[in-house]
């Protein structure tokens, strides 16, 4: 989106994908390369450290998103600024708050959003094809959304019968949110529903776990804030070759139309 202001700068909200530099898009690499300033959360800055040598780097912790957005807008009045955001900046990322702050302050800074690989699709690619058709993404973080609203959304989404990709599933500050969410989901899904937990997708320490909904309900200890939990839909199944569990398949419907 381009503004009609007279500023010479540009604010690029850059999606850095799951964390591996190889997963960045060419457009993201170009925006970072051209930036004079790079701003972002400590974790995401560290993941792209080889790309930002010689640039002015501003790191800020979680919880400082509004101040980070305002600083980026201020700098972008006269400079090229890259605001880096993990996954896709428009999916639980920085694009929303930056544009909100720009709107509320009447900023005329030129802003562009560079899309990227979001955590749901990164995790899905690690375990086959669990999100082949319609699916729902939900976050269990109640820092910005009341739990009553999250619970209502979980209930409706589970009733749809499509796969669910759950962000922010479990943390030290809210260890029981996932248990509560699984209880809601279980009202609409069988115990044998395929489930995947993918931790640190495309980052060091990556883990892939395939199980059933009942098995995850019995022990959620493997799940943390670096995890994405994918709950299969009504047609999802575990993909095996012999006794080797390869992942999860959610048929898109080709079997209804073609012979293969």
């Amino acid at each position: 989106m381009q503004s009609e202001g007279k500023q010479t700068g540009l604010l690029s909200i850059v999606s850095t994908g799951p964390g591996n530099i190889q997963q960045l898009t060419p457009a993201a690499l170009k925006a970072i390369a051209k930036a004079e300033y790079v701003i972002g959360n400590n974790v995401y800055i560290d993941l792209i450290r080889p790309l930002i040598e010689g640039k002015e780097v501003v790191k800020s912790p979680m919880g400082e998103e509004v101040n980070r957005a305002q600083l980026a807008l201020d700098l972008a009045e006269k400079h090229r600024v890259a605001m880096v955001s993990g996954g896709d900046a428009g999916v639980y990322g920085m694009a929303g708050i930056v544009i909100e702050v720009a709107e509320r302050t009447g900023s005329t800074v030129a802003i562009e959003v560079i899309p990227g690989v979001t955590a749901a699709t990164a995790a899905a690619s690690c375990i086959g094809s669990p999100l082949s058709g319609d699916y729902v993404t939900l976050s269990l973080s109640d820092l910005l959304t009341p739990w009553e609203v999250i619970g209502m959304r979980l209930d409706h989404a589970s009733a749809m019968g499509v796969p669910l990709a759950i962000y922010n599933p479990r943390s030290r500050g809210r260890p029981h949110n996932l248990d509560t969410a699984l209880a809601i989901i279980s009202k609409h899904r069988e115990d044998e529903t395929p489930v995947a937990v993918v931790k640190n997708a495309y980052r060091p320490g990556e883990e892939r776990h395939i199980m059933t909904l009942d098995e995850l309900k019995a022990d959620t200890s493997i799940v943390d804030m670096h995890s994405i939990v994918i709950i299969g839909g009504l047609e999802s199944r575990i993909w095996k070759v012999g006794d080797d569990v390869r992942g999860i398949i959610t048929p898109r419907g080709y079997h209804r139309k073609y012979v293969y």
Side-chain angles (χ1 to χ4, degrees), residues 59-141:
K59 300 170 69 174
S60 64
M62 293 290 288
E64 294 293 327
E65 289 82 4
V66 174
N67 292 337
R68 193 186 313 153
Q70 186 62 64
L71 175 60
L73 288 164
D74 291 343
L75 288 171
E77 290 183 1
K78 296 182 179 179
H79 302 278
R80 294 186 73 109
V81 178
M83 163 73 77
V84 297
S85 183
D88 184 289
V91 182
Y92 308 119
M94 286 298 299
I97 185 59
V98 171
I99 293 170
E100 279 192 67
V101 171
E103 177 193 42
R104 293 198 178 203
T105 61
S107 174
T108 57
V109 164
I111 299 173
E112 63 175 3
V113 180
I114 309 294
V117 179
T118 187
T121 54
S125 72
C126 294
I127 55 154
S129 186
L131 307 179
S132 301
D134 300 329
Y135 68 95
V136 174
T137 60
L138 285 161
S139 170
L140 299 191
S141 173

Side-chain angles (χ1 to χ4, degrees), residues 127-135 161-164 194 230-239 247-255:
I127 55 154
S129 186
L131 307 179
S132 301
D134 300 329
Y135 68 95
V162 300
L164 311 176
I230 295 178
I231 310 291
L234 297 182
E235 293 188 280
S236 300
R237 61 180 182 267
I238 292 178
W239 171 31
I248 295 174
I249 297 173
T250 300
R252 189 177 173 189
Y254 287 101
H255 61 288

Side-chain angles (χ1 to χ4, degrees), residues 186-207:
S186 292
K187 294 191 299 180
H188 306 283
R189 303 291 163 93
E190 299 292 335
D191 287 344
E192 296 304 307
T193 299
V195 170
V197 177
V198 181
K199 300 174 68 171
N200 297 309
Y202 294 99
R203 298 184 190 179
E206 180 184 281
E207 297 181 20

Side-chain angles (χ1 to χ4, degrees), residues 13-17 23-29 85 87-90 112-118:
I13 308 173
V14 181
S15 305
T16 60
Q23 303 298 325
L24 269 72
T25 66
L29 292 169
S85 183
D88 184 289
E112 63 175 3
V113 180
I114 309 294
V117 179
T118 187

